[in-house]
Amino acid sequence: MTDTLHIGSAAGFSGDRTDAALPVVRSLIAHAGPSALIFETLAERTLALAQLARRADPTRGYEPLLDELLSPILGLCLRHGIPIVSNFGAANPPAAALRIRALARELGLPVPRIAVLAGDDLSGPQHRALLRQRLGAVCDEQDIVCANAYQGAEQIAMALREGAQIVVAGRVADPSLTLGLAMAHYGWRADDWPRLGRATMVGHLLECGAQVTGGYFADPGYKDVPDLYNVGFPIAEIDAQGDCIIGKAADTGGLVSVQTVKEQLLYELHDPSAYLTPDVVADISQATVQQVGPDRVQLRGVRGHARPDELKVNVFYQGGWFAEGEISYAGPRAEARARLAAEVLQRRLGDSLQLRVDLIGALSIFGDDAGRLLAATPAGLGQDIRLRVAATHADRAMAERLAREVNALYTCGPAGGGGVRTGLRTRLNTLSCLVPREAAPASYSMLD
């Protein structure tokens, strides 16, 4: 294929807007050329929560909004030959694929051909020795919830070439959703580093949905974005060399500018000359970004180098109990009263719990977990302060003490506290390591 491929993004995280896909799909249909759709719904913690959901119910563990995301557009995509690629399989891609097939039947649609990716899950006991080698004794001391390797785009491309209309993945690297579509469309080899590098950065621009179309960019009076309430999601036009033009769905709000693209291009990049992915090492140090029309920005000059020899693995394990509580103080000397309340809690709980203290409305983003910077900051500035305290502990009963003590501030002082909110939940901790590629071989299978 040589015709320019259009790829739309319809989600940037689990819990994103479920009405975003329809304007994107309508724009892809109006284009009347090769098109595809991605949903990026999987963050690191999202996958761990999905693994816990699968533990509780083996039929779950995939994107909870799957029906809401797909129902408005599934028929349109199937009728117009628009393949869908997503990581909404999360911890249970086979169950997600079965649900998509059932949803198609419920909607009176022909059953789509669905490919299911596998190989990322290293949570089983057969992988424990490798993780212990890479992470040490934590693998013996903790209850590991999950371990998942970041897979790449090659299996996505192979499944599409075999005729998959929908590809359901678990933990693949976010840009790989887009790259797999481009590889399948243009027939690129898995070692075509320049093209893979360019298309990887296209995927990087698409992966967070409306971040590149003005959502995370908007800052009134400084970085104004029109009609943000109706922000449109992005569409990339990728040519045969992997260069692209970024636009957005027609008749939507938002903004695609040199500035929005640059912000997203640099998002999460540790080294702009060496962005490591399972597919390629992308290099944007010589890239150019140019406005070529209203809400149309061209990205060129990305380079690619040989992919890493190892894959990144995220390991989540139980981290005890997380407790938090909040209470508000307003009016004269509000900040002083909030500080006094924090001191009360620290004196009563400090021997058993290490508290994180924030004065929301004054210094919540500047204090460290021990509140050291907080105490050194001039007092008396705030008139409407919400005190937040948080702590973790392996023993649930110990963690529950925090909630009781925050509630007691109602009448035990300081004066005028109100609006108490407390919470208690299990905590997940994470570690990362690298493993040889052969330890996490990727594969796919067709549901039918």
Side-chain angles (χ1 to χ4, degrees), residues 283-308:
D283 177 355
I284 66 167
S285 61
Q286 305 298 316
T288 61
V289 179
Q290 180 181 5
Q291 195 88 35
V292 293
D295 293 319
R296 287 171 59 80
V297 172
Q298 184 181 67
L299 171 65
R300 303 187 69 181
V302 176
R303 297 182 293 181
H305 310 293
R307 69 189 188 184

Side-chain angles (χ1 to χ4, degrees), residues 285-353:
S285 61
Q286 305 298 316
T288 61
V289 179
Q290 180 181 5
Q291 195 88 35
V292 293
D295 293 319
R296 287 171 59 80
V297 172
Q298 184 181 67
L299 171 65
R300 303 187 69 181
V302 176
R303 297 182 293 181
H305 310 293
R307 69 189 188 184
D309 293 329
E310 296 179 302
L311 298 175
K312 178 182 177 181
V313 175
N314 280 342
V315 179
F316 281 85
Y317 60 93
Q318 296 285 2
W321 294 89
F322 175 78
E324 62 181 331
E326 296 178 4
I327 185 170
S328 291
Y329 296 91
R333 297 170 300 284
E335 186 174 328
R337 285 180 281 130
R339 287 176 179 273
L340 177 56
E343 180 184 341
V344 168
L345 294 172
Q346 288 170 324
R347 294 287 295 272
R348 293 185 62 82
L349 295 170
D351 291 339
S352 55
L353 295 173

Side-chain angles (χ1 to χ4, degrees), residues 98-341:
L98 289 172
R99 178 57 205 150
I100 294 169
R101 184 170 68 181
L103 178 64
R105 288 170 173 160
E106 292 167 13
L107 295 173
L109 302 172
V111 176
R113 195 157 196 225
I114 305 171
V116 182
L117 269 60
D120 66 296
D121 195 344
L122 304 183
S123 306
Q126 68 273 28
H127 304 293
R128 197 55 52 88
L130 174 63
L131 296 178
R132 186 184 303 113
Q133 178 190 15
R134 296 300 170 114
L135 292 172
V138 66
C139 295
D140 298 320
E141 299 167 357
Q142 307 293 338
D143 178 12
I144 291 181
V145 173
C146 63
N148 292 84
Y150 284 77
Q151 300 284 6
E154 191 170 3
Q155 298 297 314
I156 295 173
M158 292 172 64
L160 291 165
R161 289 168 184 159
E162 194 178 324
Q165 296 166 287
I166 301 173
V167 179
V168 179
R171 179 71 280 172
V172 297
D174 299 346
S176 299
L177 303 173
T178 297
L179 178 57
L181 285 159
M183 291 175 67
H185 178 71
Y186 289 116
W188 296 337
R189 302 186 318 273
D191 62 353
D192 189 341
W193 309 127
R195 291 184 176 88
L196 267 58
R198 295 177 198 126
T200 287
M201 295 317 298
V202 181
H204 181 67
L205 291 176
L206 293 179
E207 69 186 47
C208 293
Q211 278 194 190
V212 76
T213 54
Y216 204 68
F217 174 85
D219 189 350
Y222 180 59
K223 298 186 297 183
D224 292 310
V225 175
D227 299 326
L228 188 62
Y229 74 94
N230 188 36
V231 63
F233 277 52
I235 297 173
E237 305 167 21
I238 308 177
D239 67 23
Q241 299 305 311
D243 292 323
C244 78
I245 293 175
I246 298 291
K248 66 181 181 67
D251 303 318
T252 60
L255 172 71
V256 181
S257 69
V258 167
Q259 290 77 20
T260 68
V261 170
K262 283 183 177 179
E263 283 198 10
Q264 179 60 26
L265 197 62
L266 293 171
Y267 170 72
E268 290 187 337
L269 259 66
H270 171 67
D271 182 351
S273 67
Y275 177 42
L276 305 180
T277 79
D279 303 296
V280 66
V281 177
D283 177 355
I284 66 167
S285 61
Q286 305 298 316
T288 61
V289 179
Q290 180 181 5
Q291 195 88 35
V292 293
D295 293 319
R296 287 171 59 80
V297 172
Q298 184 181 67
L299 171 65
R300 303 187 69 181
V302 176
R303 297 182 293 181
H305 310 293
R307 69 189 188 184
D309 293 329
E310 296 179 302
L311 298 175
K312 178 182 177 181
V313 175
N314 280 342
V315 179
F316 281 85
Y317 60 93
Q318 296 285 2
W321 294 89
F322 175 78
E324 62 181 331
E326 296 178 4
I327 185 170
S328 291
Y329 296 91
R333 297 170 300 284
E335 186 174 328
R337 285 180 281 130
R339 287 176 179 273
L340 177 56

